Every structure is written in structure tokens, then in C-alpha cells.
Amino acid sequence: MRKNLVLLAGFLWMSTQAIAQDNGAQAEILGKLLDDQSGKPVEYASVALLKATDSSVITGMLSRGNGDFDFKNIAPGNYILKIYFIGYQTYFRTVNVKSRSDVGNIRLKTAATALKGVEVVGEKPAFTMEIDKRVFNVEKNLASMGGTATDVLRQVPSVNVDIDGNVSIRNGSPTIFIDGRPSTLTLDQIPADAIANVEVVTNPSAKYDAEGMSGILNIVLKKNRRAGINGLIQGGYSTTKSSNAGVDLNVRQGKLNMFLNYNLRDRRSPMTQHMLRKNWENGDTTYLDQYQDGEFGRRFQNGRIGFDWFIDNRNTITLSQGITGGDFNNLNRQTVYDLDAQKNRLRYGIGNNDNKNSFRNYTTQLGYKRTFAKEGRELTADFTYNRANNDGNSNYSLQYYDMNGQPSSSPNQPELRYGNSVGNTTYLTGQVDFVNPINEKSKIEAGLRTNSRTFNNVLNTYGKDFATGEFMYDSSLSNNYHYTEQINAAYVSYTGGFGNFGFQTGLRAEQSFYSGEMKNVKGANYEIDYPIGLFPSIFLTQKFKGDHELQLNYSRRIQRPWFRDLLPNIEYNANSGRRGNPSLKPEFTNSFELSYLKDFDRKVNVLASVYFRNTNNAITDFSIDTTLNLDGQERKVVLSYPINANVQNSYGAELTVRTQVTKGWDITANVNLQQTEISAEGLDNSGFTWFGKVNSNTKLPWNLTLQVTGEYEGRRIEPQGEEAPEYQVDMAIKKDFFKKKNFSVALGLNDIFNTDRDLSWTTTSFSDSERYRKRVSRELRLNVSWRFGKMDSNLFKKKKGGEEGGGSDMGGDGF
């Protein structure tokens, strides 16, 4: 509690200091904008305040609903007012300000060429690149429509997603944020249709969290601020009997902007698994041949409601509440064969391995933003509360038979057990940031942040003792676990430059506290207070003539163990097991990157990078042969768990090219080449891998859009084995209907060649294993959507005489 109070005091201090810096100026300019012909107020016009000496912009705002504008707390002196709005002539006026200057009513004249019947169409590109960030526009992606965030990330250049939904960038684990903050939501709990864009930051500055070996992946949810009312209604169905539906609604009037979205998902994903393991002990060789067939079902609802309150032209408060709930079920039927040295079947086992889980997630976000008279100076503060509750049950059975179909209990005993679990996770995040420009090329940024997470989980497992016929509590497969984590951070950075050369230096300090307790095991607890860690970053940028620039950067990163990596309980499945490792330590990475960005006539964008990562205490998986006592019986298993490797070095090159081939056809291609070397538990391994993606978007006649995406990932190395290459191709086509193109039908075929699967090999002291897993990935999806909207700033007002306030129908431009 004391740690949180210290951070809160810091937040308040930064807020008061930032506001105090703005109170030195005393002058004010105010006025009102009117239409020259009708005399009615002109709202949302752009009003800029310029220096009279060099016409540089000091600050700006949009006129209010009644046409008013004002600039407070500015220094006395000479200024120029510049007023611009579509359909009106640009207006300039010189103003001498001493204390308070009221310029009165400014009547704007319409432009000489009237805008009649003109449809303004502005589309975001599917993928944009900056020197330090790449942004993927999800609304332009057709292959992920009706899916989840996992499907979205499969389409994002530079990002890899495996069959289990694990995400990596350049073969490293990134930190995943939602709207820039941690969340208890998993990727499969976020509907694709709720996402606006995905930001990929491969080497973040000190402003960002130091967590994540390969950077930060930020999922930005949709939120609209257009005046009036607009929204989107959509639904879909697929050949796997999956379905989706949703609605997004936004209403803005005056100082209030309200938004609401709701999505429903029912996803079916049948899966096949096969494992063949060769065992040798005391000179004898045997084989285990295991098959599983089942279905992974995800059914959930997701809702979000909130509002923005524009208190005045400088202060905004945002409040939102999200609720997600559903059921994730994994139902499998398994068959296991025992083979001799010649792979002849000796006996077989049949059973089930079922898991059913339910969850509820609540997310509350409160944000505040203040802008100041000085251009670029701003203060932001926000608070996020995340709470997730879950419960589940499991059933496992395996009965052996001889090859004549008669029940057998030797040498493999029958297994029959069930379990139930309940748990919760609470995540609290608070952050304040302040930006203070010094001049046009330099600024100082500073901020404070605190994250606090509490995790509780109780799992009770009962196995049948066939000698007594009773179910007994199995402590080896049960746990009662309590885990807490708190991370406090502060950062400061300075940006400067001269000519075409720019630089940014920053330092982030983070302090973390961990504690864990296995309540059902005496003495099974730990408490770790890590000292303050320093995470410097430096960025050097040189711009050249011809729209190209070069950047060299360095940052120090940390990857803390996920709480499930620390859980000591065992997950067991037919002679294979997995557990966490409470003694796992964080890994630290020194990341270097040299990047070059070139824009060729705004038609071809090229981003080329070379990078090197040196990681100490790298977290990786390790497997051993061991014996577990389960249900009172000793069973030989291959047990996997995470460990800290001694060192891992990765170096590689990445190239991303976006080409506007024709007016209606653009292609984004991304390729990454990497060499990795890893040393762990006395084992050394190294290897080369490469990864590539292509995304093609083509506008066809008859309002058709065609999208084709493909990816390939080469083999990946582990300390004790490797994973096989894999590839996938998706295709989708969309047709827009009606004059406003606001009704769309999309048909997509995922994994056209049915090639997405997971194949890996692992070698331990006494076994060789080959594991194959395949989900039904070839899926035909049909989605329909209707965009509606009316840009009407007087939505809830009435004119004299009872007439409704005027507005313009935005049709399909609402979103």
C-alpha cells in the first residue's frame, strides 16, 4: 500500500507542476464564427493562433457548437488568427493582445466554388510505416472478419502466431497491450471487429514499458468521435459452424461523445493431435503412439460503453466500461498404443481428456487530457481496472486393452479422475505523462506508472483408486495458489536536434515486487523484491533530401515470467506432463537496431532494418524424463517446464515494402532473416530461420475488393530440438452495395491449401519425440456489414419553427 501511495503522490506532483507552468501567462483572445449569409454559428471550424513575426503555429482549436472560440493563458503580444473550414474562404486577422481581446463576431464567406454533390472519400491505407512504428489498419483486412484478435495478428506484417495463439516478433516475445495498457483479456477473447488498428513497435523508447524482449504490440480498439450519430452492424457464419454478430454505435453532440459496441462470437475449431515417442532404458527400446481428436469451442460476448466529455477546448475526460464473458471448452477423445522395438502394437488405451472453462472479465478505464496554450504541451493521466473471474472442470479417463480387445491392467493401470477449479485475476494500472516543448525541435517528456496484479487459483483433482473404488484427492495434480506482482516505473526523455539530424535519449527506472504461495503445500512460497533496474534508450536519426531517413537505436529490455510459468502444478496428459517453475528469473535483453526508411513518390515505401539482440537468462522450454506418482501409481513421463538459458543471441535483417502498383492495387511484403544461438543446461543449439508475409489488396470493377495474403515461417530452433517450417494462404473478396457503398458482403477462404499445422521434434536423455497438431484451419467465412451515419451537430437540438437541425448524411463514412 505504501508503494502505491508514493506513486500516487508522484502523479499529483507532476499534475500540479504541469498546470502551474501554464499559469504565468495572463492574456486571452475570444470570438465567435458566423455564416455570412445565414448568420448561423459555424461549428468545428479550425481556428489557429500564429506568431505575427514568423507565422509559426502557437496553438489551435475547433470552434464550439455555438461558434465560440477562445485562447486563454497566452503571452501578451501580436498574433495572427487563421480560420479554415471546408466550403468557406480562409480568414486571416491580425490581433494585438494586451490582456483580454474580444474580436467579436467573424462572418465567414462561402468559397467561390460551391461544394455541391461532392462525395468526400478518405481511406486509410491497410499498412503504414514510420521509422519507429508500423500500423496495421484492421478495418481494411478481410481475412480476419468475424474472427478474433488472434486472426487479426496472423495478418500483421512482422508478427508470427502459432497454432496455440502464442505471438512472437522476430522470434521473440513482445508485450501485448490493449489501448496501451495491460489487460487480463486473452487474444481469443477480443473480437476482430472491435479492433481499429494494431501498432508494432520493435524497439520502444524509454516512454514505453521495458517489458517484452522484441518490443510492444498495441491493439487499439475502435472509438469514433464524429459529430452526430453513426455506427456499424455486422454478422457472419462459416463452414465450421462458427458464427458472429455485432454492433458499434457512436453519438456525439456538443461536449459529449458516447460510444457503445457489442459483439457475440461462437467459434468451433476441431483439432487432431499425434505424438510418437521413442523411449530407451537399460538397453530396451519401446514406442508410445498417441492420437487425440476433439473440438476447441469458444463462445463469448463482449461489450463496451463509454463517453468523452469535452469540458472545454483544453480539458477532456474519458470513461469506459467493458464486459466480456463466455465459455472455452476443449473436448478430446484419445487413443494410445504401446509398441515394441519393431513398432508392433502390444496394447492400446482409449479414453477422454475434456476441459470446460467459463470466464468473466470487467475493464474500467478513466482518462484525463489537458492541453496548454503553448503548442505541444500536454498532460495526460489515466487509470485502468481489470478483473477476471474464471471457473472450470475437467474429466480424464484412459482404459487399456490387449490387442484382442480385452481390458488390461498390466503394465498400464486404468486412469480415471476429475477436477474443478476457480480463480480470479485483478490488474490495476495508473499512469501520468507530461510533454513540454522547449522549441520547435526539442522537448522533454516525463511520466510515472504503476502496475499491480493479483492472481488466485484453486484446483482440486481427484483420482479413482481402483483397489478401493473410491476417488482420492491427488495433491500432485492440485494446487491452491496465490500470486502478486507490482511494478513501479518512472521515465524521462529529451528530444533535440539540429538541421536534419535528430536524437532522443531516455532513461526508464522500474522496480518490481513478486510473491507466490502454494497454500496446499507447507513452506512452498517465495517473495522477491527486485532492486531498481535502469533501462536506457537512445535514438539517432538523420534525414536526407528525397524523403528518406536513417535511424540507429538502442534499448535495454526485460521479460518477466508470466504467472502461469511460475505455477508449480502439473498438467498431465497420457505420459506427457507440463509444469511451471517458481524459481524462474526475468530475462534481460540488449537490443540494437539500424533502420532505413525511403518514400518513392508516395507510391513505394521501403523500410529496411538490421538488428542484434543479446539476452541473458532467456526463458525457454526444457524437457526431462521423470517418474510421477499419480492416483497412487508410478508413471514414466516426459515433463516440460520453462528454464532460464545461459545466453541467447539473435541477429538478423528485416525488409518491409509497400507498393502502390496502380491506383486500386497495393502490395505489402515483409521478410525477416535471423540467426539464433542458444545455450541452456549444458546444451548448445543454433540455426537459421526466415519468415515472410505478403498482403495484396485490389479494387476491382463493380465495387469489388480482392485481398490475398500469404505467409511462410522457416524452422525454429529450441535447446533440445526444433519446429518444422509452415505456411498458409488466405483469400477474401468484398462487394459494396448501394450508392454510398455502406452495405458490404465479404466472402473469405482461410488457409486455402489446408497447410497450417504444428510439427516439432524434441530429444531428451532417454527419448525422442515427434509431435503433430492440426486444427481445422480451412474455413469459408461469409460476413455482411451495414455502416450508417448522419453527421449532424444539432442532433438533439431544434431550430425555430420546429424544424430539425440540419446535417449531412454520411452514409458509409460513419466508420
Side-chain angles (χ1 to χ4, degrees):
M1 184 65 180
R2 184 179 301 171
K3 303 163 190 170
N4 287 328
L5 291 176
V6 172
L7 265 293
L8 179 60
F11 290 170
L12 296 176
W13 180 85
M14 287 190 63
S15 301
T16 55
Q17 289 298 309
I19 295 175
Q21 290 186 45
D22 203 55
N23 290 335
Q26 300 296 326
E28 177 184 8
I29 299 176
L30 66 155
K32 189 182 188 73
L33 304 183
L34 300 176
D35 183 278
D36 184 54
Q37 296 181 2
S38 66
K40 297 177 182 178
V42 178
E43 58 182 335
Y44 304 118
S46 174
V47 185
L49 189 64
L50 315 179
K51 285 184 179 179
T53 54
D54 58 5
S55 297
S56 61
V57 178
I58 298 175
T59 186
M61 66 171 291
L62 298 178
S63 60
R64 301 188 183 91
N66 60 359
D68 286 351
F69 67 88
D70 61 77
F71 298 107
K72 300 178 181 179
N73 299 321
I74 61 174
N78 295 320
Y79 298 93
I80 299 174
L81 277 176
K82 178 183 178 181
I83 302 170
Y84 171 79
F85 195 55
I86 296 176
Y88 292 93
Q89 296 179 11
T90 303
Y91 178 91
F92 293 92
R93 179 170 177 174
T94 303
V95 182
N96 179 265
V97 182
K98 294 182 179 179
S99 58
R100 185 174 186 270
S101 297
D102 187 346
V103 298
N105 295 334
I106 297 176
R107 306 184 75 90
L108 300 181
K109 297 181 179 181
T110 57
T113 304
L115 297 176
K116 295 183 179 180
V118 177
E119 181 182 3
V120 180
V121 179
E123 293 190 2
K124 298 179 182 178
F127 186 70
T128 57
M129 293 184 290
E130 301 176 24
I131 195 70
D132 61 344
K133 180 170 64 176
R134 276 148 277 187
V135 181
F136 184 75
N137 179 16
V138 177
E139 294 175 341
K140 304 291 291 182
N141 185 260
L142 305 181
S144 60
M145 292 181 66
T148 66
T150 303
D151 301 295
V152 170
L153 295 180
R154 293 184 194 276
Q155 308 297 323
V156 178
S158 302
V159 178
N160 296 44
V161 183
D162 66 17
I163 194 172
D164 296 314
N166 299 312
V167 178
S168 63
I169 299 176
R170 297 176 177 175
N171 284 344
S173 299
T175 294
I176 299 178
F177 286 149
I178 299 174
D179 285 333
R181 299 294 176 262
S183 174
T184 57
L185 285 171
T186 66
L187 294 176
D188 273 339
Q189 295 172 355
I190 307 172
D193 303 304
I195 302 173
N197 56 62
V198 176
E199 299 174 345
V200 182
V201 186
T202 55
N203 208 12
S205 67
K207 179 179 180 179
Y208 298 91
D209 275 18
E211 182 85 14
M213 182 177 74
S214 60
I216 290 174
L217 202 58
N218 185 32
I219 297 174
V220 181
L221 301 180
K222 289 179 179 178
K223 188 170 65 173
N224 188 14
R225 288 181 172 176
R226 283 185 179 273
I229 181 171
N230 47 77
L232 170 72
I233 298 176
Q234 58 83 29
Y237 193 75
S238 80
T239 52
T240 61
K241 298 182 180 180
S242 300
S243 59
N244 63 277
V247 59
D248 292 287
L249 183 65
N250 187 86
V251 180
R252 176 170 178 173
Q253 172 64 31
K255 293 184 176 182
L256 198 62
N257 176 69
M258 295 175 288
F259 51 90
L260 167 70
N261 60 63
Y262 170 79
N263 291 275
L264 175 66
R265 291 291 180 277
D266 185 1
R267 296 296 305 276
R268 310 291 177 86
S269 183
M271 175 182 281
T272 299
Q273 303 184 59
H274 175 228
M275 183 189 71
L276 177 65
R277 188 167 72 226
K278 179 181 179 181
N279 305 296
W280 57 86
E281 185 177 5
N282 299 325
D284 296 328
T285 300
T286 59
Y287 291 87
L288 175 70
D289 199 16
Q290 175 187 336
Y291 298 84
Q292 282 196 0
D293 294 286
E295 181 176 282
F296 182 37
R298 295 162 286 177
R299 179 181 301 170
F300 64 96
Q301 303 177 68
N302 177 283
R304 186 166 176 254
I305 186 171
F307 67 87
D308 301 296
W309 178 26
F310 307 99
I311 303 173
D312 52 39
N313 64 311
R314 299 203 186 280
N315 297 278
T316 303
I317 290 178
T318 300
L319 177 65
S320 68
Q321 177 65 51
I323 302 176
T324 303
D327 303 296
F328 281 16
N329 299 324
N330 193 358
L331 309 177
N332 290 286
R333 180 171 175 81
Q334 59 181 349
T335 303
V336 181
Y337 294 96
D338 288 339
L339 313 177
D340 61 17
Q342 288 73 41
K343 295 186 179 180
N344 297 313
R345 290 178 175 176
L346 303 177
R347 62 194 65 84
Y348 66 94
I350 297 176
N352 295 315
N353 184 15
D354 300 335
N355 292 276
K356 298 181 179 180
N357 298 278
S358 299
F359 69 91
R360 296 293 184 273
N361 183 286
Y362 306 90
T363 302
T364 304
Q365 291 182 302
L366 175 64
Y368 168 74
K369 181 176 181 179
R370 174 179 172 83
T371 58
F372 297 85
K374 184 176 182 181
E375 183 186 8
R377 179 185 290 175
E378 67 177 34
L379 173 73
T380 57
D382 61 70
F383 171 81
T384 302
Y385 169 81
N386 236 290
R387 170 78 177 193
N389 302 321
N390 62 83
D391 59 79
N393 59 77
S394 62
N395 287 281
Y396 184 91
S397 65
L398 188 62
Q399 170 67 59
Y400 276 87
Y401 300 85
D402 61 27
M403 297 313 295
N404 295 319
Q406 297 300 313
S408 172
S409 60
S410 178
N412 305 98
Q413 300 293 322
E415 298 179 62
L416 184 62
R417 58 180 171 271
Y418 69 91
N420 52 70
S421 64
V422 61
N424 59 73
T425 304
T426 303
Y427 222 141
L428 300 175
T429 304
Q431 178 159 341
V432 60
D433 299 282
F434 178 60
V435 182
N436 185 34
I438 299 174
N439 53 47
E440 292 184 0
K441 290 191 175 183
S442 63
K443 64 179 179 180
I444 293 178
E445 298 178 78
L448 297 171
R449 178 165 178 165
T450 182
N451 295 336
S452 177
R453 176 169 58 180
T454 302
F455 171 79
N456 296 286
N457 187 77
V458 178
L459 171 63
N460 295 316
T461 303
Y462 300 88
K464 184 174 183 179
D465 186 337
F466 286 91
T468 63
E470 296 181 356
F471 282 88
M472 307 295 292
Y473 179 77
D474 192 333
S475 60
S476 63
L477 297 177
S478 303
N479 69 65
N480 184 347
Y481 195 73
H482 174 77
Y483 169 79
T484 63
E485 167 190 300
Q486 183 170 322
I487 303 171
N488 300 324
Y491 77 90
V492 61
S493 68
Y494 175 77
T495 302
F498 48 87
N500 290 324
F501 177 77
F503 65 90
Q504 181 190 84
T505 59
L507 181 65
R508 186 178 187 89
E510 292 191 352
Q511 185 179 26
S512 53
F513 307 88
Y514 298 86
S515 66
E517 180 184 5
M518 189 72 119
K519 296 183 178 180
N520 60 324
V521 179
K522 185 177 181 180
N525 60 78
Y526 63 90
E527 185 170 341
I528 306 173
D529 292 351
Y530 287 105
I532 295 177
L534 300 180
F535 301 92
S537 66
I538 182 169
F539 292 74
L540 307 176
T541 303
Q542 177 67 53
K543 294 185 177 181
F544 304 94
K545 294 182 179 179
D547 290 328
H548 60 132
E549 59 183 292
L550 188 69
Q551 184 183 92
L552 176 65
N553 58 60
Y554 162 79
S555 68
R556 186 172 186 250
R557 313 286 301 160
I558 185 174
Q559 182 71 42
R560 300 178 179 90
W562 192 37
F563 70 89
R564 288 193 178 276
D565 290 332
L566 299 169
L567 286 176
N569 66 288
I570 297 174
E571 298 177 359
Y572 173 74
N573 179 11
N575 299 315
S576 295
R578 181 172 179 82
R579 67 167 174 82
N581 181 3
S583 63
L584 208 58
K585 300 177 182 178
E587 63 180 33
F588 292 89
T589 298
N590 294 299
S591 181
F592 301 83
E593 185 170 348
L594 176 65
S595 299
Y596 173 78
L597 178 63
K598 170 65 177 174
D599 181 5
F600 295 90
D601 299 325
R602 301 188 182 277
K603 293 184 178 180
V604 179
N605 305 100
V606 177
L607 177 61
S609 303
V610 292
Y611 59 89
F612 171 72
R613 290 199 309 258
N614 165 252
T615 303
N616 296 308
N617 293 330
I619 299 174
T620 187
D621 281 340
F622 193 77
S623 298
I624 61 172
D625 299 276
T626 189
T627 300
L628 298 179
N629 190 298
L630 306 173
D631 306 335
Q633 306 174 47
E634 290 190 347
R635 302 185 184 277
K636 294 181 179 179
V637 301
V638 174
L639 183 65
S640 300
Y641 57 94
I643 63 168
N644 289 113
N646 300 329
V647 66
Q648 177 175 320
N649 291 324
S650 300
Y651 46 93
E654 184 174 20
L655 177 67
T656 306
V657 180
R658 181 180 181 271
T659 305
Q660 193 71 40
V661 183
T662 64
K663 184 178 180 180
W665 182 23
D666 68 85
I667 298 176
T668 300
N670 169 255
V671 63
N672 181 76
L673 311 174
Q674 181 174 295
Q675 177 73 19
T676 300
E677 301 169 351
I678 187 169
S679 175
E681 298 291 332
L683 300 174
D684 297 325
N685 202 357
S686 63
F688 172 82
T689 186
W690 72 280
F691 165 78
K693 279 189 179 180
V694 176
N695 189 313
S696 171
N697 293 278
T698 309
K699 289 188 175 297
L700 303 174
W702 308 295
N703 292 328
L704 289 170
T705 302
L706 174 67
Q707 182 181 84
V708 179
T709 61
E711 66 172 310
Y712 178 90
E713 183 176 6
R715 75 183 185 99
R716 287 151 291 168
I717 67 162
E718 302 289 344
Q720 295 172 282
E722 63 180 68
E723 297 185 28
E726 56 186 74
Y727 68 94
Q728 178 176 332
V729 178
D730 303 325
M731 182 177 67
I733 190 167
K734 183 183 75 168
K735 173 153 177 81
D736 297 324
F737 293 87
F738 309 133
K739 182 179 179 180
K740 297 169 185 175
K741 302 179 183 179
N742 60 334
F743 184 79
S744 302
V745 177
L747 188 66
L749 180 60
N750 291 63
D751 196 10
I752 297 174
F753 303 107
N754 199 29
T755 53
D756 186 27
R757 54 92 180 98
D758 180 55
L759 177 62
S760 61
W761 297 273
T762 303
T763 299
T764 68
S765 302
F766 302 102
S767 66
D768 284 330
S769 300
E770 176 183 286
R771 188 175 185 184
Y772 170 88
R773 291 182 297 159
K774 177 78 174 77
R775 285 185 180 172
V776 175
S777 53
R778 180 189 285 165
E779 180 182 20
L780 186 65
R781 295 180 180 176
L782 175 66
N783 280 271
V784 297
S785 62
W786 174 50
R787 294 175 297 279
F788 59 91
K790 191 175 183 66
M791 187 173 177
D792 189 350
S793 57
N794 296 312
L795 186 65
F796 303 116
K797 300 177 184 178
K798 290 190 175 182
K799 297 181 181 178
K800 293 180 180 180
E803 295 180 358
E804 294 293 333
S808 58
D809 188 358
M810 297 302 293
D813 295 330
F815 265 72

